[in-house]
Amino acid sequence: MLSQADNERITRVGRGTPMGEVMRRYWQPILMTSELAEADGAPIRVRILGENLIAFRDTNGKVGLVDAYCPHRRAPMFYGRNEECGLRCVYHGWKFDTDGNCVELPTEPESSKMKDHIKIAAYPTFEGGGLIWCYMGPKDKMPEPPDYEWMRAPETHCRMSKTYESCNWVQALEGGLDTAHSSFAHNNGDWADNELRQRDKSPKLEVEKTDYGYTYISFRGAGDDGTYIRVYQYMMPGQQARGNVTQASGRSNNPKMDGHIWVPIDDESCMVYNWACGIDENAPVSLEFFEKFEKQMGRGHDDHIPGTFKLKKNLENDYLIDRELQKNRTYYTGIVGINTQDFALQEGMGPICDRSEEHLGSTDKAIIAMRNLLLEATRDVEAGKMPRGADPKTHSHVRAFDSLVPHGQDWKQAMAEDLRAKW
Ligand code: FES
Ligand SMILES: [Fe+2]
């Protein structure tokens, strides 16, 4: 359990809150590049860490991320004209570049120097790995842009999607660092990939702290096949990566690693970026494969409310739970879609989970370790230090993997090479 005070400390993300300040010391994804592909195209609303912003791609292809409201009389910049290297407010024509400088102020006489003093709040952006990232913290503390291995894979090998989740980011992240639930919540009968996780439902866990977060290893007995070892990486503050290699080989799926990044929209909702990455040159992730994978996860094209990243099956309709399906045991939850099952459990906790009421067990080790790292990061940032994992040198070499290791073999030795980034 966590005290109410610590729970508040890790869940709240507004500017000036302890975790809000931590989150602002990392580069955070704001959009998929595909959402903002066109120079001088339509601006997009972005809400992140409780701030309302507008993203636009200027004439030269540079991405701007500015305050959603004009500094003149606070008109919405969303309706702005994106033209000739700047976003122009359509109320009185003031125009701003991607750095937030006012480049035209047509309501004042030409001789006026007012333009030189006017700025719109703007955050630096960076593009990589199919995502647009921003940095919202103090300029003098800005780390180098992120450099996760999957960001270096060719476009044919790494695919990306995103889904809106209606709850606090920490309980969503906890779901991603909880291997034990996959033997239950995701026991779907028809999901062959989960077979190894069905053989042993009380995995032994190890958590090894690293300078980017931790490596989290689950050990499941696999009978004569040895031990099924799944290595997750927790990369602070909100990313999980895991191997999907062994379970997939010999079946229909590609050997790959995949993961999620949970980005707080505000205290009570988050955006989940879902990536899947082939692990070597011979393992591209075709669009066709990725779409099938997304469908299985419950977030295919047809699963979304058109024009949004919200799922049709959601809290308001109880995720279309089918009690018959649940009763006849082919589906443990009665809910179809793997991430839909996750969302039902995570969103169903309420907007911000009350952790003072929990009773944690031995399979919650990784979750406890993650909370402790978040609390540590709040203290580090308060002490003026860079939080763990913000420097890309700490995470660029990291890869997640899973493997069946024969009895009597040292897993660390057996998997050492597989856990080093190859891209
Ligand atoms: S409110 Fe934007 S230019 Fe006047
Ligand atoms: Fe899950």
Side-chain angles (χ1 to χ4, degrees), residues 49-69:
L49 304 180
E51 297 187 28
N52 292 322
L53 305 167
I54 297 294
F56 66 102
R57 189 181 291 278
D58 79 3
T59 315
N60 297 332
K62 201 172 163 224
V63 176
L65 182 68
V66 296
D67 187 358
Y69 303 100

Side-chain angles (χ1 to χ4, degrees), residues 1 8 29 50 58 63 77 154 159 185 220 231 273 291 295 302 307 318 325 352 354 365 369 371 378 410 422:
M1 63 165 266
E8 289 282 303
D58 79 3
V63 176
M77 294 301 290
R159 308 276 172 191
R220 285 183 169 89
V231 178
Y273 290 86
E291 279 173 6
K295 183 84 215 148
D302 301 347
D318 289 324
L325 195 61
I352 303 181
D354 179 0
K365 217 174 177 175
R371 295 174 184 177
T378 61
D410 178 72
K422 307 287 186 317

